[in-house]
């Protein structure tokens, strides 16, 4: 297959690294900042100068951009990119976007006679690098069958959601991200309360470690315990706030109060106001500590 991959950020680069240099596929990459394409060029990927050039002749276009805005800056009715896209091509969107954006993308591709699949992923960049992500696919049935083997290069578990709108995959991703960030918030508050009451932090870490065997959650036990706030290859606060805003907006759209998410959004706003946007989203612990009068 001819695969075009747009967006080589932390997640995109890790996922695309599984596609480069495969004899059965040709990979074309594009990224807004050109420097991130260099490692791919060295491994034999074709580097496109523009996203339009990247999608020309592609069977599959994979996007791992940041948010609704960055995806819809390229994919809209009669856009240069849509005009360059083959009629039967597949668009697989890995970005965590709003369910409403997914609905718009599905309608756009139906109108164009191309095929749309939402494919949000669970797991941090190191998990993507190890090829062990969990992924949900929803959208065009024939496209899902064709791209599942491609997703399996970077995802250990690919769950196909049949006979539902593409946006259900995005809604499911938001529910699971809510669970993850709420778990981070509860552990952060426990660590903070424990410290104020004289409970050794390592005792709480020991318990959380036993209680949370799932790697996607367990990673945060050590991050919170050691106050390792560097995002590095992880999920930055700014992206986390984007996701919590998507949760709140989607909940509001269906009149579903999301009280804990409101508390977390407030903490993330405080973190962003303090200039912590590049730290890992688990740095919301630092706001709990600050409010509790800890260093
Ligand atoms: N990190 C995680 O743990 C994680 C886990 C699961 C899902 N996700 C989701 O995966 C997506 C990517 O996350 P990430 O951590 O890889 O973020 P990231 O490292 O910040 O990468 C974002 C990518 O989007 C591009 N981009 C941003 N704004 C753009 C614009 N206006 N026009 C064109 N390109 C634009 C960036 O290009 P530049 O390189 O030029 O900035 C980069 O390629 C997000 O939707 C995130 O919510 C992240």
């Amino acid at each position: 297959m001819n695969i075009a991959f747009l967006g080589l950020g932390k997640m995109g680069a890790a996922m695309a690294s599984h596609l480069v240099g495969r004899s059965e596929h040709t990979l074309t990459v594009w990224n807004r900042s050109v420097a991130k394409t260099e490692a791919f060029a060295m491994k034999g990927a074709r580097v496109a100068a523009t996203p339009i050039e990247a999608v020309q002749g592609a069977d599959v276009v994979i996007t791992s951009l940041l948010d609704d805005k960055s995806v819809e800056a390229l994919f809209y009715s009669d856009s240069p990119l849509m005009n360059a896209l083959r009629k039967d091509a597949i668009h697989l969107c890995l970005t965590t976007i709003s369910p409403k954006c997914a609905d718009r993308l599905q309608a756009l591709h139906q109108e164009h006679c191309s095929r749309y699949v939402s494919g949000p992923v669970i797991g941090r960049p190191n998990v993507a690098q190890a090829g062990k992500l969990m992924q949900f696919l929803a959208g065009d049935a024939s496209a899902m069958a064709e791209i599942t083997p491609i997703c399996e290069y970077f995802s250990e578990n690919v769950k196909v959601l049949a006979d539902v709108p593409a946006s259900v995959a995005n809604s499911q991703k938001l529910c699971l991200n809510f669970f993850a960030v709420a778990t981070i918030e509860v552990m952060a508050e426990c660590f903070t309360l424990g410290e104020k009451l004289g409970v050794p932090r390592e005792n709480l870490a020991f318990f959380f470690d036993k209680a949370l065997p799932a790697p996607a959650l367990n990673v945060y036990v050590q991050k919170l315990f050691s106050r390792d706030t560097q995002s590095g290859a992880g999920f930055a606060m700014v992206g986390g706030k984007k996701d919590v805003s998507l949760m709140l907006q989607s909940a509001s759209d269906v009149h579903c109060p999301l009280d804990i998410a409101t508390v977390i959004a407030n903490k993330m706003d405080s973190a962003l106001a303090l200039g912590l946007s590049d730290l890992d989203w688990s740095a919301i612990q630092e706001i709990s500590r600050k409010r509790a009068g800890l260093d």
Side-chain angles (χ1 to χ4, degrees), residues 78-154:
D78 215 22
S79 69
L81 184 141
M82 287 304 291
N83 288 333
L85 189 69
R86 257 192 19 218
K87 288 290 176 196
D88 60 344
I90 297 169
H91 175 195
L92 168 65
C93 183
L94 307 173
T95 302
T96 305
I97 54 172
S98 68
K100 284 190 168 172
C101 177
D103 285 336
R104 290 193 293 273
L105 289 170
Q106 190 167 34
L108 173 73
H109 284 289
Q110 266 164 8
E111 180 190 294
H112 184 77
C113 298
S114 40
R115 295 174 286 165
Y116 176 72
V117 177
S118 276
V121 294
I122 301 273
R124 293 164 67 93
N126 61 321
V127 180
Q129 197 70 56
K132 292 186 180 301
L133 293 170
M134 178 181 282
Q135 185 173 19
F136 312 119
L137 300 183
D140 185 278
S142 68
M144 288 196 289
E146 286 174 43
I147 59 171
T148 295
I150 294 173
C151 296
E152 284 171 345
Y153 290 132
F154 48 79

Side-chain angles (χ1 to χ4, degrees), residues 8-11 31-33 36 66 95-96 123 234-235 242:
L8 299 171
K10 291 185 280 294
M11 289 300 287
N31 193 65
R32 182 179 59 177
S33 345
K36 292 179 188 169
L66 184 64
T95 302
T96 305
F235 193 30
K242 180 259 301 181

